[in-house]
């Protein structure tokens, strides 16, 4: 039981490039979400999904896309990377009232 | 005003001290209260969760909720250097996925040997 697995752990992008952050969970949770964590800002919700085929925007969705084709996977796509998207990204799945986090992807956009 | 307020610290205490971490909130609908611990360069991990008001103890950790004051606390007894981490409070109004979990911004704690 691996929990929530994120790849890659580190990534450097050039401005304007696109990429996909991968997230997979093996707990059969319906609810999954993406957060970004910046110093002094805490965890901010980007997008979330309440089940396969259903996604919705969170607090800071601009510049990001998501899809949910299976219960297990919830990838986050950066369409055209900007320096403001330099951050640490966490994927989480929810069981009941609690969230379980992956280990994070540290993204730098230069 | 943020829904959940948490002092960012940093908080530095000597080993063996009692640590008190706190959050205040504004939404009276919150019923489930959680504390997460996040080590440097790691993801947050669930440390404790409580439902409604009252206390919950787990080893050296005690979580306390005062819904009348909209105030929650985490106490760490006999603090150890391994407790050095960022602690995030979190809360939600319900069990279903329709109830978003709201996180505090985290308090950075350092325990000095």
């Amino acid at each position: 039981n691996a929990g929530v697995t994120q790849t890659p752990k580190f990534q450097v992008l050039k401005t304007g490039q696109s990429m996909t952050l991968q997230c997979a969970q093996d707990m059969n949770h319906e609810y999954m979400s993406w957060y970004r964590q910046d110093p002094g800002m805490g965890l901010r919700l980007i997008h979330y999904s309440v089940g396969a085929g259903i996604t919705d925007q969170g607090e800071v969705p601009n510049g990001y896309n998501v899809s949910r084709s299976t219960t297990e996977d919830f990838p986050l796509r950066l369409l055209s990377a900007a320096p403001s998207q330099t951050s640490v990204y966490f994927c989480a799945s929810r069981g009941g009232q609690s969230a379980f986090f992956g280990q994070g992807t540290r993204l730098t956009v230069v | 005003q943020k829904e959940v307020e948490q002092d960012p610290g940093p908080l530095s205490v000597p080993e063996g001290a009692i640590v008190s971490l706190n959050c205040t909130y504004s939404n009276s609908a919150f019923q489930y209260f959680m504390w997460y611990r996040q080590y440097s360069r790691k993801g947050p991990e669930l440390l404790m969760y409580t439902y409604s008001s009252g206390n919950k103890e787990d080893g050296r950790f005690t979580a306390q909720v005062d819904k009348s004051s909209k105030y929650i606390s985490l106490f760490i007894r006999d603090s150890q250097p391994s407790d050095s981490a960022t602690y995030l409070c979190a809360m939600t109004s319900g069990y279903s996925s329709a109830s978003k979990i709201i996180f505090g911004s985290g308090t950075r704690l350092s325990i000095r040997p």
Side-chain angles (χ1 to χ4, degrees), chain B residues 30 33 45 62 68 74 76 81 83 102:
Chain B
F30 289 144
F33 303 91
E45 56 177 341
T62 299
S68 62
L74 177 70
I76 307 174
D83 295 327
I102 308 299

Side-chain angles (χ1 to χ4, degrees), chain A residues 19-33:
Chain A
M19 79 160 294
T20 299
L21 279 61
Q22 301 292 345
C23 176
Q25 54 99 0
D26 61 2
M27 296 175 281
N28 203 33
H29 290 161
E30 292 294 326
Y31 186 100
M32 295 184 74
S33 53

Side-chain angles (χ1 to χ4, degrees), chain A residues 70-87:
Chain A
T70 67
T71 299
E72 294 77 20
D73 299 299
F74 189 43
L76 177 72
R77 296 184 188 85
L78 278 71
L79 308 172
S80 177
S84 61
Q85 294 178 304
T86 293
S87 187

